[in-house]
């Protein structure tokens, strides 16, 4: 059983990681391209399970359950913005 101290330490660790992710800055195109390819634009787990063109069930996007979802989306956005604004690259080709 987890004690209150364990829960506080776990929460503090998550908050520290969130703050670190929010502080990630993109300063070069190689890093920006790597981050764009590493962080997917949409949830890769969302699916429709079909059998003979009939949808049996739908698996919803689970990415929002990730405690760092917002921070990762912000990093991807900053990378895309860097490539478009600073490098003048076509985002469709880059990522």
């Amino acid at each position: 059983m987890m004690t209150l101290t364990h829960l506080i330490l776990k929460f503090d660790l998550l908050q520290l990681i969130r703050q670190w992710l929010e502080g990630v800055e993109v300063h070069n195109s190689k890093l920006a391209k790597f981050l764009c390819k590493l962080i997917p634009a949409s949830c890769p787990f969302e699916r429709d399970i079909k059998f003979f063109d009939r949808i049996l069930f739908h698996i919803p996007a689970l990415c929002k359950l990730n405690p760092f979802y917002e921070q990762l989306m912000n990093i991807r956005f900053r990378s895309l913005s860097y490539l478009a604004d600073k490098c003048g690259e076509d985002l469709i080709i880059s990522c």
Side-chain angles (χ1 to χ4, degrees):
M1 185 171 149
M2 294 185 83
T3 64
L4 182 59
T5 306
H6 286 100
L7 290 175
I8 291 171
L9 289 175
K10 184 177 179 182
F11 179 74
D12 286 346
L13 180 61
L14 291 177
Q15 189 61 31
L16 286 173
I17 295 171
R18 281 189 196 106
Q19 289 175 351
W20 179 78
L21 287 171
E22 288 173 1
V24 171
E25 294 184 18
V26 181
H27 291 292
N28 64 50
S29 63
K30 281 187 176 184
L31 177 62
K33 287 179 185 180
F34 173 74
L35 291 172
C36 285
K37 290 179 183 180
L38 180 67
I39 303 169
S42 63
C43 186
F45 303 112
E46 183 175 22
R47 305 220 186 286
D48 286 329
I49 305 301
K50 295 181 179 183
F51 186 69
F52 292 116
D53 293 330
R54 182 180 166 112
I55 297 175
L56 296 177
F57 57 93
H58 174 77
I59 299 173
L62 301 174
C63 293
K64 291 190 179 181
L65 297 177
N66 181 346
F68 310 115
Y69 175 78
E70 292 295 323
Q71 289 77 21
L72 292 172
M73 290 300 104
N74 286 335
I75 290 173
R76 181 175 168 75
F77 178 74
R78 289 194 304 264
S79 298
L80 289 169
S81 296
Y82 180 83
L83 288 171
D85 297 341
K86 303 287 186 200
C87 302
E89 293 195 25
D90 185 3
L91 299 179
I92 295 171
I93 296 171
S94 296
C95 296

